Amino acid sequence: DEEPIPSGKGWTMIRPDSTGSSSKVVGLADAVERYGRKRSHGADNMMEGVEPTIERETHTPPRKKARATHLPPITTLNAAAPPSPLPSPHGSPPPQAIWPSAPPSGASSPQLQAPLQPDLALTTLLTLPSLLSHFTNLPQPLQSHFLLTLLRHSPLPVLRTLHSILTPTLARDFLTLLPPELASHVLSFLPYSTVVRASRVSKAWRAIIDSDPVLWSDLLKSTKIWFGGVTERAFAHSIYARRRLNIPPTSQTLPLSHPYKMLFKSRQLTRTRWVDNENPKHRSFPAHGSSVVTCLLLSHGRIISASDDHSIHVYSPLTGELLQMLDGHEGGVWALAACKDTLVSGSTDRTVRIWNLATGRCTHIFGGHTSTVRCLAIVKPEWIEIEGEGGVITKEKWPKRSVIVTGSRDHSLRVWTLPRPGDPEYRCYGADDSEADPADEDAEDNPYHKMHLEGHDHAVRALAARGRTLVSGSYDCTVRIWDIVTGECKWVLVGHTQKVYSVVLDIHRQIACSGSMDGTVRVWNLRTGQCQHTLTGHTSLVGLLGLSSSHLVSAAADSTLRIWDPESGELRHTLAAHTGAITCFQHDEFKVLSGSDGTLKMWNVRDGTVVRDLLTGIQGVWQVVFEGRWCVAASNRNPATVLDVWDFGTDEDEWIGEPPSGFYDDDTEEEDDGEEIEQADVDAMDQDLEVEASEESTEPEEPQECALDSSQPLAVEVEDVPMERVEGTRASKWAPSSKPSGHQRNRPVLGEPSNRAISHPADGIPSRLPPINETPTRPRIRQKQRR
């Protein structure tokens, strides 16, 4: 067998004895010479190749003249450089037969030299230290000239490489170098989508953007989701309270976002997801058999429903699982209110029960009402502005401790202290005896009972309470304004000609609204007790009212809802698509959800159009509530009662809902000092924002009460005001007279002595806030602007 002949692309090895080949055979010396000529033609501006020979000059075309062939002499001291590969200007003698491409050495040498010489790149690398030394010693103008010359003669790939290196080197983080005020001003010119992208540039930019309250308040205003400042401050205070309870780890590299940034994100999600998410997560499950759902709450990740079957159920919105059954009432439950892990319920059995939602136990039972407890509310301590003598406005925290207010068909209201976790339990007379009547309970024996408010001549149908103010509506066609602390009836508001079914309250604007069977809605001024507006248009009972910063919504038995301007009383929209009485509704600044005649509809609150139908083809909708991403409705699907739950968010959404009442229960009363400090921080922040907001007189959604004129003195903390030791202050119009009300009872809570001593530090400020019947602490005073 013959051995295979070695071959490759363009060549084949020829054996000495082979004959008959028609291809031209090239010797080794000739092949090397041709290779040298090819290199000299290949890169004319790279100065490659070997020295030319006589044959090359006679058989090769003339070379083009290379630009800038004159090179400065390069010092090769201390550099092992080989002989220069540059071509000779006058040619060279013919090459030797062994190595045709060997350059002339200028001296005879017995040693054989390599056939090819290193090119200019290697030589330049070896001489680079010397070149760098020369460049460093040049003055800066010559350095610039030298570099520009090199750049002009550099190809595009080299320039791209230089650009990729120089761009990050010459870049400057201007945002971190600017003062915070200027950085905020620069960012204020960007739309929110650009601001969000800018926050992803670096951790430094993220920290600057996320922690800027002015930037986010401006974005809230520019996108028309800033609603006056009251709800915004409440949201910020709630976030600070949550952070006090859940301290982040110290290893966190980025600072916490400002609450206004979190609010902006949540409101953007609320505005877009409820409309754009056409297929939200939807879950339905049965509840309460076939009974009517009388109350429905969405609180701290729980769905709480009450029914006329005497029961209260707690469900999980995530799974629909029945978490707790709160049994104990002997009549239908018609009133509910929740605060964190505490639930308060009122029933036709004439009792008020307090439940621990963490354990499902009934811890307290209050008796005293002689008829159905039809309405109730939990009133938490909060900072409110109170005008005193001489036009001085003080910021005071009322009530000093959370209270419960209940209204009954026995024509009266009662005020109770809300028991804290760990307080002694109390069970009224007849609570454990089915034959005894809780109505026979003497409320004075109950240490949690504060006051009995009498004055109405008929059943109390509705109430609303915040701070020190309580509004009650009755079937006697009147609305009454009470002081929760003193029990005094401040105003009796007369004007309705038939029963009052609903009331709402806004303590910041000092207005209350009432709806009546006479088909009208009245807006009352709490400062003067006068009716500011009488809103007409409904043709039947106005049984439901809702009040937010920008809208007053009324729902009536005439199958319509109406949206009003609470400031001017102007009718904005009439929502007319239902065919039966409105049984339930809830609204915020973006939408209205209403239930009637077997449908649950969503409306756009700003233009009054129908967005979508959430439920159709059912017998009736009992209740509907929503908060943030969640919506819950209780409906009747003959014959069963069903709860429907919608989740309009996604797993990635950081969506913090705002409660429909506008009041948060995240703070704790045990941290009074921390709340005062935090409130001072919020006030100081908001003073700057309000002064700036006062300059924007064209902002239509900014209530005038929330803006301060730049010439008006800001609130100043009074450090040297001595604390009064009796209830009330002279500066407050709410201060009680020296003779207490006949209905007021000041009794100690169980486990506390009646004359409790309050320790005071050296500065005269008590280390702990006093109870409800004592004076406000450290009032913040500012002079009221005279017009």
Side-chain angles (χ1 to χ4, degrees):
D1 295 336
E2 295 183 358
E3 296 182 0
I5 300 175
S7 62
K9 184 177 181 180
W11 65 274
T12 302
M13 180 176 287
I14 302 176
R15 296 180 180 179
D17 56 348
S18 62
T19 57
S21 175
S22 59
S23 61
K24 184 178 180 181
V25 179
V26 181
L28 176 62
D30 193 11
V32 172
E33 177 64 17
R34 292 185 181 184
Y35 176 75
R37 295 176 184 176
K38 182 178 181 181
R39 284 175 56 87
S40 64
H41 284 290
D44 50 353
N45 59 350
M46 293 296 294
M47 305 300 290
E48 292 187 282
V50 297
E51 292 192 2
T53 59
I54 295 175
E55 289 97 349
R56 174 184 169 187
E57 292 181 355
T58 56
H59 299 288
T60 58
R63 296 177 58 192
K64 295 181 181 180
K65 183 177 180 182
R67 293 179 297 174
T69 55
H70 176 70
L71 296 176
I74 300 176
T75 305
T76 58
L77 297 178
N78 301 324
S84 173
L86 299 179
S88 171
H90 302 294
S92 299
Q96 299 178 6
I98 299 178
W99 304 112
S101 59
S105 61
S108 62
S109 175
Q111 298 180 356
L112 297 177
Q113 299 198 9
L116 299 177
Q117 292 294 332
D119 56 16
L120 184 60
L122 179 60
T123 305
T124 305
L125 287 176
L126 294 175
T127 58
L128 188 59
S130 175
L131 180 62
L132 182 61
S133 176
H134 281 300
F135 178 79
T136 306
N137 294 329
L138 292 176
Q140 289 188 359
L142 286 180
Q143 288 182 350
S144 300
H145 177 73
F146 177 66
L147 290 177
L148 288 174
T149 303
L150 292 179
L151 291 176
R152 290 193 186 101
H153 292 80
S154 299
L156 189 58
V158 176
L159 295 178
R160 288 199 185 101
T161 303
L162 290 175
H163 180 268
S164 64
I165 297 173
L166 292 176
T167 299
T169 303
L170 298 178
R172 287 292 179 268
D173 190 353
F174 71 96
L175 205 60
T176 58
L177 298 177
L178 289 174
E181 297 80 4
L182 291 180
S184 177
H185 182 67
V186 171
L187 292 170
S188 67
F189 290 94
L190 303 178
Y192 75 89
S193 57
T194 306
V195 171
V196 172
R197 286 196 296 269
S199 66
R200 302 175 183 174
V201 170
S202 66
K203 290 184 178 180
W205 283 32
R206 178 73 173 268
I208 292 173
I209 292 173
D210 284 7
S211 60
D212 188 349
V214 178
L215 170 65
W216 292 106
S217 64
D218 288 344
L219 285 174
L220 285 166
K221 293 173 184 176
S222 63
T223 53
K224 296 184 179 180
I225 54 176
W226 174 275
F227 305 124
V230 174
T231 56
E232 288 77 11
R233 285 190 293 272
F235 183 91
H237 187 76
S238 169
I239 296 300
Y240 288 134
R242 296 182 191 182
R243 290 175 179 175
R244 286 198 302 271
L245 298 177
N246 303 306
I247 301 176
T250 55
S251 59
Q252 186 171 351
T253 58
L254 289 173
L256 295 174
S257 300
H258 192 275
Y260 283 177
K261 190 247 184 180
M262 303 169 66
L263 178 62
F264 179 87
K265 184 174 183 179
S266 296
R267 286 184 174 175
Q268 284 288 350
L269 289 172
T270 302
R271 176 162 64 178
T272 57
R273 289 293 169 82
W274 281 73
V275 177
D276 299 338
N277 190 351
E278 297 181 356
N279 296 302
K281 301 174 185 175
H282 182 204
R283 181 177 293 104
S284 299
F285 48 91
H288 298 283
S290 58
S291 301
V292 175
V293 175
T294 56
C295 304
L296 188 63
L297 298 178
L298 190 57
S299 174
H300 293 272
R302 305 182 185 100
I303 300 172
I304 307 173
S305 62
S307 171
D308 62 354
D309 64 0
H310 309 178
S311 68
I312 302 172
H313 290 178
V314 181
Y315 298 92
S316 167
L318 295 174
T319 63
E321 176 188 0
L322 177 60
L323 302 178
Q324 293 172 337
M325 292 183 62
L326 309 181
D327 296 323
H329 279 297
E330 297 178 0
V333 181
W334 286 88
L336 277 185
C339 174
K340 288 187 286 191
D341 287 337
T342 300
L343 177 69
V344 183
S345 60
S347 168
T348 58
D349 64 9
R350 296 165 289 182
T351 65
V352 178
R353 289 179 179 251
I354 289 89
W355 310 81
N356 186 331
L357 292 175
T359 62
R361 290 187 63 250
C362 178
T363 58
H364 300 76
I365 304 176
F366 297 160
H369 283 296
T370 59
S371 186
T372 298
V373 179
R374 190 60 182 83
C375 49
L376 63 84
I378 297 175
V379 188
K380 298 277 291 182
E382 63 178 308
W383 292 91
I384 58 176
E385 291 184 353
I386 296 178
E387 180 182 352
E389 298 177 359
V392 176
I393 295 179
T394 60
K395 263 199 171 181
E396 303 173 359
K397 192 170 189 178
W398 293 108
K400 295 306 170 197
R401 180 172 173 177
S402 297
V403 298
I404 307 167
V405 182
T406 57
S408 170
R409 288 180 178 168
D410 63 8
H411 308 181
S412 69
L413 301 102
R414 292 184 182 267
V415 181
W416 322 75
T417 299
L418 178 67
R420 293 170 175 166
D423 281 354
E425 296 187 5
Y426 180 85
R427 306 176 78 84
C428 69
Y429 170 77
D432 300 316
D433 186 355
S434 59
E435 296 182 358
D437 189 352
D440 296 335
E441 160 89 357
D442 185 358
E444 291 189 6
D445 295 335
N446 185 347
Y448 294 98
H449 185 260
K450 301 295 295 182
M451 281 172 287
H452 186 204
L453 307 181
E454 297 177 299
H456 283 295
D457 298 327
H458 212 302
V460 178
R461 178 62 172 79
L463 64 84
R466 291 283 294 271
R468 294 182 63 145
T469 306
L470 167 64
V471 182
S472 60
S474 169
Y475 285 170
D476 64 7
C477 310
T478 66
V479 176
R480 288 179 177 255
I481 311 298
W482 310 82
D483 182 354
I484 296 177
V485 176
T486 65
E488 178 186 1
C489 180
K490 307 295 292 186
W491 304 105
V492 178
L493 309 179
V494 179
H496 286 296
T497 58
Q498 296 189 49
K499 297 177 180 179
V500 176
Y501 272 79
S502 55
V503 294
V504 288
L505 168 67
D506 187 335
I507 59 170
H508 301 286
R509 287 182 286 194
Q510 285 291 293
I511 61 173
C513 307
S514 57
S516 168
M517 186 180 282
D518 61 14
T520 65
V521 178
R522 289 181 178 264
V523 181
W524 309 91
N525 188 320
L526 299 184
R527 294 186 179 93
T528 63
Q530 299 298 315
C531 179
Q532 290 186 174
H533 308 289
T534 300
L535 312 180
T536 60
H538 286 296
T539 59
S540 185
L541 161 68
V542 181
L544 300 170
L545 287 179
L547 180 61
S548 62
S549 298
S550 307
H551 306 97
L552 169 63
V553 181
S554 60
D558 61 5
S559 75
T560 67
L561 299 97
R562 291 174 180 261
I563 301 175
W564 315 82
D565 183 342
E567 296 289 340
S568 65
E570 175 189 0
L571 176 63
R572 291 178 175 170
H573 306 290
T574 299
L575 313 183
H578 291 291
T579 58
I582 309 300
T583 55
C584 58
F585 88 89
Q586 185 179 322
H587 85 284
D588 60 13
E589 298 292 346
F590 305 103
K591 61 188 175 296
V592 180
L593 266 62
S594 60
S596 173
D597 59 21
T599 62
L600 178 63
K601 293 182 179 294
M602 183 195 303
W603 312 75
N604 186 326
V605 75
R606 300 194 176 189
D607 59 18
T609 59
V610 177
V611 177
R612 68 171 73 177
D613 287 342
L614 292 177
L615 286 177
T616 57
I618 56 179
Q619 276 62 49
V621 182
W622 304 126
Q623 301 289 335
V624 62
V625 293
F626 64 80
E627 182 176 333
R629 62 194 292 167
W630 297 100
C631 177
V632 184
S635 60
N636 176 255
R637 300 178 186 176
N638 197 17
T641 298
V642 177
L643 290 182
D644 290 272
V645 182
W646 293 268
D647 179 6
F648 286 88
T650 62
D651 296 337
E652 295 79 19
D653 290 340
E654 297 177 5
W655 195 342
I656 303 176
E658 299 178 71
S661 64
F663 187 75
Y664 301 80
D665 59 358
D666 300 285
D667 55 337
T668 58
E669 298 177 29
E670 288 75 10
E671 299 183 357
D672 290 324
D673 294 337
E675 288 183 2
E676 282 195 51
I677 296 172
E678 195 59 65
Q679 181 65 29
D681 294 340
V682 173
D683 289 342
M685 173 187 68
D686 290 329
Q687 286 166 9
D688 296 336
L689 297 180
E690 288 173 352
V691 169
E692 180 182 354
S694 66
E695 300 173 359
E696 301 178 3
S697 58
T698 59
E699 182 66 37
E701 298 179 359
E702 184 94 328
Q704 296 179 355
E705 286 79 357
C706 299
L708 300 178
D709 186 76
S710 59
S711 62
Q712 178 181 352
L714 299 177
V716 179
E717 183 111 69
V718 179
E719 300 289 351
D720 299 326
V721 176
M723 298 303 299
E724 300 288 343
R725 305 306 178 211
V726 296
E727 180 176 336
T729 59
R730 293 182 180 179
S732 173
K733 75 174 184 178
W734 292 97
S737 59
S738 58
K739 188 175 181 179
S741 171
H743 303 297
Q744 180 182 0
R745 302 183 181 94
N746 294 325
R747 282 189 287 315
V749 179
L750 282 178
E752 295 184 1
S754 57
N755 296 323
R756 182 162 57 94
I758 302 176
S759 60
H760 298 276
D763 60 358
I765 306 299
S767 58
R768 183 178 179 276
L769 287 176
I772 184 174
N773 59 341
E774 297 183 12
T775 59
T777 60
R778 302 180 67 182
R780 298 175 61 84
I781 300 176
R782 71 168 182 261
Q783 192 70 25
K784 183 180 178 182
Q785 182 180 7
R786 295 295 182 185
R787 295 184 178 179

